[in-house]
Amino acid sequence: MPTQAKLADEFGVERGAVRQALRILQSEHLLVNVSKGSPATVADHPDRSLTGPEAPPQPTTVALGARIAAAFAAPHVEIDALCLTSISLTLAIGEPLRQIHAGRIKPARVDVRLLLPSSDIDLAFPAPVDSSVDGRLQRSWLANRNAQAQVLRHNLLALRSTHGIDVNVIFRALPFTPPVKLYLLNGAEALFAYYTLAKREEEIDDVHLEMYDVQGTQSMLFPFVQGAGLRDTTFVEQSHLWFNALWETISSELLLTN
């Protein structure tokens, strides 16, 4: 690879943006020897492709962080997400926030739209195995949904006062339990995963409850990128149409209260 200085000059960006891009490629095992003192080297045998028809799905905890970090390298960051809670997104945004606070990247604008299940519905999941159990499981989910969303909103909006970044965060409520999760990044990338149900046990309010639930952080994300072929481009475009249709029709204001 060229030196960081040459890359910065070629693409007309600051050295910090180049370093961030190289670190992301290193985390994806596409580059090795990434350091300030010498040019990076392309890996001989990358163990996976980032995007396109050959890209394998990966657990959300593995795939989402790197893709969110890459999205934050753009001057205008746009993230649309549909999910059961915002746990995975809150975790994934942690790294680009650290990079911003360290002065390595600084987008001019960040727009985040999030669709979450309404607190006014009976969730399909998580659901107790014993249907006679009271509503403590739904109350626990609701408290978790609200807490995660509040943390996400607070961390993003803090960028206004600390770094002068134009940030907008909007939540809306869905009248159903989403069976899938979807992340749309900068209008050009879609990450899609199924929620897979399993029986598990958890202690809630000193009571052990058997439930049908999902582990969203382990859901396998399938990546699609506009321009990576007809399949990917069509999926990204249709995902945006689907998300916007839900946003503009049957969703409603979401209040982060129990």
Side-chain angles (χ1 to χ4, degrees), residues 15-37:
R15 291 279 293 276
V18 172
R19 286 194 294 271
Q20 172 70 3
L22 293 176
R23 278 193 291 268
I24 292 170
L25 292 174
Q26 184 182 42
S27 72
E28 295 292 340
H29 304 284
L30 299 176
L31 293 180
V32 295
N33 300 326
V34 175
S35 67
K36 294 182 179 180

Side-chain angles (χ1 to χ4, degrees), residues 26-236:
Q26 184 182 42
S27 72
E28 295 292 340
H29 304 284
L30 299 176
L31 293 180
V32 295
N33 300 326
V34 175
S35 67
K36 294 182 179 180
S38 60
T41 303
V42 177
D44 290 333
H45 300 287
D47 63 0
R48 64 184 183 274
S49 173
L50 282 175
T51 56
E54 301 303 320
Q58 295 176 294
T60 300
T61 50
V62 175
L64 187 59
R67 304 316 308 150
I68 293 290
F72 266 79
H76 182 190
V77 182
E78 295 179 275
I79 298 175
D80 291 338
L82 178 150
C83 42
L84 188 62
T85 68
S86 59
I87 294 175
S88 296
L89 184 58
T90 300
L91 292 172
I93 281 181
E95 178 57 27
L97 291 182
R98 285 190 289 271
Q99 297 294 330
I100 291 173
H101 293 313
R104 298 189 180 98
I105 58 173
K106 185 180 179 181
R109 180 173 175 179
V110 177
D111 290 316
V112 176
R113 298 190 301 172
L114 196 61
L115 286 170
L116 295 168
S118 170
S119 57
D120 298 327
I121 64 172
D122 291 327
L123 290 173
F125 56 85
V129 174
D130 181 358
S131 59
S132 66
V133 172
D134 62 24
R136 71 184 65 205
L137 179 56
Q138 174 134 347
R139 290 194 298 270
S140 174
W141 167 83
L142 182 58
N144 188 33
R145 184 207 70 174
N146 291 346
Q148 293 294 331
Q150 287 167 349
V151 168
L152 177 65
R153 181 170 61 184
H154 175 270
N155 289 345
L156 286 168
L157 293 181
L159 296 176
R160 290 178 178 174
S161 58
T162 57
H163 297 281
I165 298 174
D166 182 10
V167 178
N168 297 282
V169 183
I170 305 174
F171 300 104
R172 288 188 67 79
L174 291 170
F176 61 89
T177 308
V180 299
K181 59 164 60 178
L182 177 69
Y183 304 96
L184 303 172
L185 310 180
N186 292 348
E189 185 170 2
L191 300 169
F192 173 89
Y194 296 102
Y195 282 122
T196 302
L197 284 169
K199 183 187 289 187
R200 70 181 186 88
E201 186 174 306
E202 182 178 330
E203 183 176 329
I204 299 177
D205 297 335
D206 299 322
V207 176
H208 288 275
L209 292 179
E210 274 195 316
M211 67 186 75
Y212 298 113
D213 198 8
V214 296
Q215 286 188 307
T217 57
Q218 297 303 312
S219 297
M220 300 298 285
L221 281 179
F222 292 80
F224 301 85
V225 174
Q226 197 162 33
L230 180 60
R231 180 195 75 121
D232 278 40
T233 296
T234 303
F235 187 89
V236 173

